[in-house]
């Protein structure tokens, strides 16, 4: 996993419709999730977002289904890139049951 820090309320983290290849864990702070310009929820450490980027078939390009922005003054994220996730699956570090949990988690809440 890698680390990234964002500073300033309202700072964009990612935008709806942009290519997605990372799953993120909120390590510190709060993040607003908007779909089609409407705030759907607020997420806090240690929640996970963007897991759909890891859930689909390898080689498939995923796009972000929501926009994420900083609610708190500082947001720290840990993130896992799709290529690193796939390498861990191939090596057997991440088993089939864990992959299934990621896939189930990616449908936990929708745009509706």
């Amino acid at each position: 996993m890698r680390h990234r820090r964002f500073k300033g309320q309202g700072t964009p983290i990612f935008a709806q419709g942009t290519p997605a290849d990372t799953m993120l864990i909120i390590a510190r702070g709060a993040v607003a999730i908007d779909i089609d310009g409407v705030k759907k929820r607020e997420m806090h450490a240690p929640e996970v977002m963007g897991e759909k980027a890891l859930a689909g078939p390898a080689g498939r390009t995923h796009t972000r289904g929501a926009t994420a922005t900083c609610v708190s003054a500082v947001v720290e994220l840990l993130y896992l890139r799709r290529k690193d996730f796939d390498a861990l699956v191939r090596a057997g570090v991440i088993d089939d049951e864990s992959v299934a949990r990621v896939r189930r988690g990616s449908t936990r809440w929708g745009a509706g």
Side-chain angles (χ1 to χ4, degrees), residues 95-108:
D95 62 14
D96 291 339
E97 182 181 332
S98 297
V99 172
R101 272 196 305 270
V102 169
R103 289 193 174 125
R104 281 192 309 272
S106 72
T107 61
R108 73 186 181 280

Side-chain angles (χ1 to χ4, degrees), residues 6-7 15 19 42 45 68-69 73 80 82 87 90-91 105-106:
F6 295 84
K7 291 184 179 182
E42 196 170 291
T69 55
L80 179 62
R82 174 64 190 250
R90 280 191 306 276
S106 72

Side-chain angles (χ1 to χ4, degrees), residues 28-41:
R28 178 179 173 198
V31 175
I33 303 297
D34 297 349
I35 298 175
D36 297 328
V38 177
K39 185 174 179 178
K40 293 293 185 175
R41 68 180 295 201

Side-chain angles (χ1 to χ4, degrees), residues 1 21-25 48-54 64 78-82 102:
M1 296 199 89
D21 71 344
T22 55
M23 176 189 79
L24 306 102
I25 299 171
V48 175
M49 58 185 178
E51 66 277 4
K52 278 187 179 181
L54 306 184
R64 296 284 181 207
L78 298 173
Y79 66 95
L80 179 62
R81 297 180 304 179
R82 174 64 190 250
V102 169

